Amino acid sequence: MELRSVEELMDLLYACRGERSAAGAGGGPGDPHGHALRTAALLRRRRPADKELQVAGLVAPVGRLLWPGSPATRTADAVRPLLGARVARLVRRQAHPEAWDHDDDLASLCQADEEARTAVFDAGVLEDWRTVLELTAARNARLGAVD
């Protein structure tokens, strides 16, 4: 499956609100929706100019809705046409700890992901990210037209 619009992606991200992982429920560490928001918020604080890195932290739970098991590669394939190669690469490689030491962006993403598992703070709402997703998708569309 390829995501063709920010609206499709937003629908999937909103659908993650009802999902629960084995770790818990109610916005805590076992809530994939809340975890994704916290990860993206942590990345926004640490790397405010790097929208693609923030988006990579936000979209991770999408794969859980589409594919069981470890969906990182399929999630990356789904978001690549919309959000670009870099976001897809970060999502795909996040599942491979051996790659973290060789890539500062990936290390930042994984550190935020890990911290978001136990951090408790108000990370905002998904709608806060719509503009960032739209900007990332528009930038990718312009770059794709040149390639």
Side-chain angles (χ1 to χ4, degrees):
M1 172 183 189
E2 290 183 3
L3 295 170
R4 300 178 193 275
S5 71
V6 170
E7 198 58 42
E8 285 180 3
L9 178 56
M10 290 292 289
D11 288 345
L12 285 173
L13 290 167
Y14 274 117
C16 291
R17 288 185 297 189
E19 293 296 305
R20 300 287 179 235
S21 71
D31 170 25
H33 177 79
H35 179 257
L37 288 172
R38 288 188 302 277
T39 301
L42 289 166
L43 290 165
R44 179 182 274 172
R45 290 177 187 169
R46 293 177 186 152
R47 307 264 296 270
D50 195 341
K51 304 304 183 205
E52 290 177 334
L53 182 62
Q54 296 163 24
V55 166
L58 183 67
V59 300
V62 168
R64 293 183 183 129
L65 293 176
L66 303 174
W67 303 281
S70 178
T73 298
R74 292 182 182 158
T75 302
D77 291 343
V79 301
R80 183 185 178 114
L82 181 64
L83 301 175
R86 181 168 177 245
V87 173
R89 179 185 59 83
L90 288 166
V91 169
R92 179 179 289 114
R93 294 184 69 204
Q94 186 178 4
H96 302 287
E98 66 276 4
W100 298 355
D101 292 335
H102 307 290
D103 185 327
D104 289 340
D105 294 338
L106 187 59
S108 293
L109 174 60
C110 294
Q111 180 183 14
D113 178 71
E114 192 60 37
E115 187 176 332
R117 294 179 197 283
T118 57
V120 179
F121 64 93
D122 181 5
V125 296
L126 182 57
E127 199 59 37
D128 295 341
W129 290 95
R130 182 181 296 274
T131 302
V132 176
L133 290 168
E134 289 170 346
L135 290 170
T136 304
R139 181 176 184 272
N140 179 60
R142 283 193 309 275
L143 292 176
V146 172
D147 289 347

